[in-house]
Amino acid sequence: METMDSANACATPAGLQWRLAAIIYDLFPLAGIWFACGVIGVALNGGAAPAPASLGAWLQLALLLGASYAYFLLSWGRGGQTLGMRAWRMRVLDEHGRAPPLGALHLRFLVAGLSWLPAGLGYLWSLFDPQRRTWHDMASRTVLVRMPLPVA
């Protein structure tokens, strides 16, 4: 694990607006990943889209979720940032300002999905939490911080 450096020490918790900006930005690489998964799914189904509620449709959904999971876990595990988070200078850290363990990242992804279900309440929670934490921040004992501008 990396130790807290001066940049992490100067970081501030990311507000909801920055989180949403990163989510929107991350939809672009995810769309490309989902398109590739769709092509693979159609190819494996003999050139046709799977019928609704069929085994093929469920397998296609599992492929999409697995690819999304891989995108976030690989991004967070290698530097603590997705492409969207890089654009807005954000990083996932543990409670001590270090790179989070892999188990915390798995839990973060799973609870982040659940945070959307009750009308986004898990994300809106950050508006009322003094440390701007979401449900997945609290569950995984991680924090999303905004890094200071680099000094030239």
Side-chain angles (χ1 to χ4, degrees):
M1 287 186 151
E2 65 185 54
T3 58
M4 181 179 268
D5 60 21
S6 60
N8 291 353
C10 296
T12 58
L16 182 61
Q17 73 277 19
W18 296 112
R19 292 172 185 268
L20 294 176
I23 289 167
I24 291 168
Y25 196 107
D26 279 325
L27 287 175
F28 291 99
L30 281 172
I33 292 167
W34 295 337
F35 180 80
C37 290
V39 168
I40 292 168
V42 168
L44 292 175
N45 199 41
S54 68
L55 176 62
W58 287 107
L59 291 174
Q60 183 71 35
L61 179 61
L63 179 61
L64 291 170
L65 288 173
S68 300
Y69 186 70
Y71 170 75
F72 284 101
L73 264 290
L74 289 172
S75 296
W76 290 337
R78 296 189 62 198
Q81 300 173 297
T82 62
L83 290 174
M85 292 164 65
R86 283 179 199 216
W88 304 111
R89 299 185 332 270
M90 295 188 301
R91 174 171 281 136
V92 174
L93 301 171
D94 73 3
E95 296 172 319
H96 306 290
R98 298 182 300 234
L102 192 55
L105 298 178
H106 290 291
L107 184 59
R108 181 180 178 81
F109 178 84
L110 296 172
V111 178
L114 297 175
S115 292
W116 284 112
L117 294 180
L121 185 60
Y123 284 87
L124 293 174
W125 192 267
S126 69
L127 295 173
F128 305 101
D129 186 87
Q131 298 165 351
R132 297 182 181 167
R133 295 174 301 170
T134 58
W135 288 354
H136 46 284
D137 292 329
M138 291 184 283
S140 64
R141 296 184 173 166
T142 60
V143 61
L144 185 64
V145 296
R146 190 132 192 270
M147 307 305 287
L149 281 170
V151 179

